Every structure is written in structure tokens, then in C-alpha cells.
Amino acid sequence: MLVDLDYFFAQAEETRNPSIRDKPVVVCVYSGRSEDSGAVSTANYIARKFGVKSGMPIALAKSKLQNVDAVFLPVDDTYYEKISSGVMSILKRYADSFEQAGIDEAYLEVSQRTKESYEEATELAKRIKNEILTNHSLTCSIGIGPNKVIAKVASDAHKPDGLTVIEPGRVLEFLSPLPVDRLIGVGLKTTQKMRALGVTTIGDLAKLDVQRLVKIFGKKLGLYFHNAAAGIDGEPVQERAGATSISRISTLKEDTRKLILITENTDRLCEEIKAELDQNGLVFRTVTAIAIMKDLSVRSRSKSLDNTNRLEVLQETVKELFERYLAESTLEIRRAGVKVSGLSKVGKNQKELSSFFE
Ligand code: TTP
Ligand code: MG
């Protein structure tokens, strides 16, 4: 099964402040360039009714919620991480094997403990939903199916607070009519390419010649699309490399805008991060520079690279990001931080589904 928390960041904000529950809630990543610059991280389902979506510019979300009593909040990663790890430790207890797939979602292999009974798996899912609701006041959506691809699509089928069970005999009738972008890994670009091929639904994709798919998308992805559309997937549920990110923050000697004073600190933070990466045999793909201002507001700049674990690359990228930030802002920085994410095991032959796309 795949368990995914509903409108996670926004729901987390609602649990902290229940009085906003019946209003549109929009959680934003403010870039800090101007008051409304930045993007929507997520929104609750009330805000979604107004057309607000993840990734949308904040200004656009505001225009959709004009004259509405809506709540706009900045992301608070530390708070969400804490809730996430609480939820994940509940989920682990219900799984034969467990794979966290994001901050708010995880795959649970439950075949053994349910003796492959879909009825028992359904009961298990209800208990899980109940426990997360009781302990964290959060709803989630759960999909149950014969493999990860189907569980994932099923979890999305009836959100929020959904529970969707797809037994093997119903896989094709379930998948066929769904839009092709419901498959994990089919993003905007791929959807467009597929449309050009006359593919709008998963059923259309299933009918496409596999050779053609391989030609267009490459062997790995082409085969994956071909199989996924037919509901075929053999990927095991397996624990991923521990943390999804590693970060360090430190307070500067003085509030400053001098790059050298900042990099003195961040170079050291990078060394600490490098040590932790090496200890765990990890490489990273994304570097984030975090600036905490005098007024304690938080700004960040990120850059994605090819997988690496090199200290110099990390330090250089952090320097570049702070340089860019300083050019765009006039404020003094009080604390500086570094985060690496998109972690994976060094040299691991990445054949997990998610590794194609992350
Ligand atoms: P999702 O599970 O994709 O979205 P969600 O939990 O907000 O909503 P849903 O009910 O559809 O599951 O992502 C989990 C969190 O990740 C989300 O709460 C905020 C963050 N996120 C972003 O910051 N930007 C994005 O573009 C997306 C999709 C998610
Ligand atoms: Mg979610």
C-alpha cells in the first residue's frame, strides 16, 4: 500500500492552528525578492476549489482568492519534518517492509501480515488512518494494490481521506480511463510528448508499441511506461537511504552582507555535511543555501547538479548561491545554512522507480 498525507504542509498548519481549518490555506515558499514573489508549496482543499495549486506563483494564488478570507503562510520545514517522522514511525509498525518515498508518503509491503488478503489489508489501512488521525489529527489517503505503481495511482484516486483498493482482476479497468499523468514519472513534458503520440489516457499508453516508446523515451523509461500502463511492476518495497536531506546552520559572528564572512562559516558547514555523506556512502544532487535574516525571516536559493559528493563542488555552489542572493537582497544575514538533498547511495545501480525521476 501507499500512504500519502493529504495536503500535507497546509494540513500541518491547520493542526497547529485549528481556527484556519474552514478557510483557504496556502503555504508558500517566499523567494524574498518582493512581497509576493515565490511559489505555492501546497494548499488545502478549500483553496484548491478556487484553483490554487502547488507550484503556482503566489501572486496568482492571491488573485484567485481575491476578496476571500484566505490564509497565506510561509513554509516551516522543521515543523513538517517533525510531524513526518512521527507519522513514519507509526507506518513502519504496520509494514513487513517499508519505504519512505517523500516527506508525506511511504510504501508499505503488507502481503505477509495480511496473508495476501485484500480484505485484511483494507482493515489494516483503516487502522492506520485511525492511528494517524488520533495521534496527529491528520488525514491521509491510502491505495492498495498488487504492486507499487498501482498502489500509488490508487492512493491518488480518492483524495482527501481516501481508501482505494485495486485487486489484481480490476487493475486494467481501473487504470485504462485515467489520464496518463497519473502515472508516477509522467510529468508535464512527458504528457506533452505523449499527447503528440495520441496518448491521453493510461489505456492509450498501454496500446502503444513498446519499440516506439523505447525509441522516444529510451530503454529504461520506455519499458517502464509500457509495463506501468499495463499495471505491471516488480519493484520491491525497500528501505531507502536514511535521510532525504542533510543540513547545517550556524549563527554568523555578526549580521553581515560580506560574502567572505558567510563562506567562512558555510565552508565549515559543508565539511560537516561532507563527513556525514561519507559516513553513509551518499551522494547529493541539490544544494540549498539558507539565509536567516535579522528579522528571523528565512530565504533560500537552490541549485541542482549531477550526483556528486565532492566537497569543493558543494562549497563552490554554496558560495555561488549566496553571491546570487546578496546581489538580489539588501538585508543583512544573521545565520547561514547549507542543505543537500536528492540523496542517493554512491554507485548504486539505481533501478528503483523513483530514481528515474527525482
Ligand atoms: P504532495 O503529497 O504531492 O501534495 P499534498 O500532500 O500537499 O497534497 P495531496 O493531498 O494531493 O497529497 O506533496 C507533499 C508536500 O510536499 C506538500 O504538502 C508540499 C510539498 N510540495 C511542494 O513544496 N511543492 C510541490 O510542487 C508539491 C507537489 C509538493
Ligand atoms: Mg500528500
Side-chain angles (χ1 to χ4, degrees), residues 67-349:
N67 306 319
V68 181
D69 183 16
V71 181
F72 285 79
L73 296 166
V75 285
D76 181 351
D77 290 315
T78 322
Y79 172 60
Y80 312 139
E81 291 279 358
K82 202 173 136 211
I83 298 178
S84 167
S85 58
V87 171
M88 294 302 156
S89 52
I90 291 178
L91 295 179
K92 275 179 204 163
R93 287 199 281 99
Y94 285 94
D96 306 336
S97 50
F98 175 84
E99 175 178 343
Q100 183 168 351
I103 189 168
D104 78 333
E105 64 184 293
Y107 291 98
L108 281 66
E109 173 66 75
V110 297
S111 304
Q112 255 176 27
R113 65 187 56 213
T114 62
K115 299 178 220 67
E116 305 198 2
S117 151
Y118 278 82
E119 253 163 59
E120 282 197 30
T122 308
E123 286 312 308
L124 196 71
K126 286 180 185 163
R127 289 213 295 279
I128 291 172
K129 284 167 79 80
N130 213 347
E131 187 165 343
I132 297 177
L133 189 62
T134 311
N135 293 354
H136 294 278
S137 305
L138 293 170
T139 64
C140 64
S141 294
I142 300 185
I144 302 177
N147 60 48
K148 283 162 72 175
V149 163
I150 296 163
K152 171 75 182 174
V153 180
S155 75
D156 258 341
H158 297 104
K159 268 180 161 295
D161 203 14
L163 172 52
T164 307
V165 185
I166 306 298
E167 297 197 25
R170 285 191 45 231
V171 165
L172 290 182
E173 71 182 88
F174 168 67
L175 290 179
S176 301
L178 296 175
V180 72
D181 66 359
R182 293 287 186 88
L183 287 177
I184 178 169
V186 182
L188 204 61
K189 265 198 199 152
T190 308
T191 308
Q192 282 163 355
K193 276 194 195 168
M194 290 202 178
R195 191 161 301 150
L197 297 166
V199 171
T200 48
T201 65
I202 297 179
D204 297 336
L205 180 60
K207 282 187 221 130
L208 220 61
D209 179 49
V210 60
Q211 300 300 340
R212 217 165 144 208
L213 280 172
V214 167
K215 215 167 182 178
I216 297 164
F217 296 105
K219 191 168 174 199
K220 197 156 98 168
L221 215 47
L223 280 178
Y224 160 68
F225 288 147
H226 180 71
N227 287 326
I232 298 166
D233 167 41
E235 291 300 323
V237 173
Q238 55 192 358
E239 195 86 37
R240 295 195 191 171
T244 52
S245 67
I246 300 175
S247 56
R248 290 284 186 281
I249 285 190
S250 79
T251 304
L252 304 172
K253 268 179 281 181
E254 58 194 61
D255 296 348
T256 187
R257 291 185 39 75
K258 288 202 190 97
L259 187 61
I260 178 80
L261 293 184
I262 295 166
T263 52
E264 252 172 33
N265 266 266
T266 56
D267 280 352
R268 194 170 33 76
L269 300 179
C270 289
E271 284 169 19
E272 290 179 26
I273 290 174
K274 164 71 176 164
E276 192 168 332
L277 287 167
D278 287 349
Q279 247 167 37
N280 296 292
L282 295 170
V283 294
F284 59 89
R285 235 194 19 243
T286 304
V287 179
T288 305
I290 305 161
I292 298 170
M293 321 311 295
K294 268 171 97 158
D295 64 1
L296 300 183
S297 60
V298 183
R299 307 280 187 270
S300 67
R301 294 286 182 275
S302 297
K303 184 173 177 182
S304 287
L305 313 160
D306 289 335
N307 279 337
T308 179
N309 58 2
R310 289 183 47 208
L311 177 61
E312 314 83 79
V313 173
L314 178 58
Q315 289 174 331
E316 266 312 302
T317 309
V318 170
K319 183 177 170 194
E320 178 191 322
L321 289 168
F322 271 107
E323 212 165 9
R324 208 170 88 198
Y325 174 71
L326 287 168
E328 289 164 0
S329 147
T330 54
L331 298 173
E332 293 194 319
I333 298 177
R334 166 167 296 185
R335 305 180 73 208
V338 177
K339 177 167 99 173
V340 294
S341 53
L343 304 183
S344 52
K345 286 275 181 195
V346 180
K348 183 179 160 210
N349 178 20

Side-chain angles (χ1 to χ4, degrees), residues 4-9 40-42 45 48 54-55 103-104 159:
D4 186 310
L5 296 169
D6 298 322
Y7 63 102
F8 177 42
F9 293 2
V40 171
S41 170
T42 195
Y45 279 73
R48 291 183 196 191
S54 290
I103 189 168
D104 78 333
K159 268 180 161 295

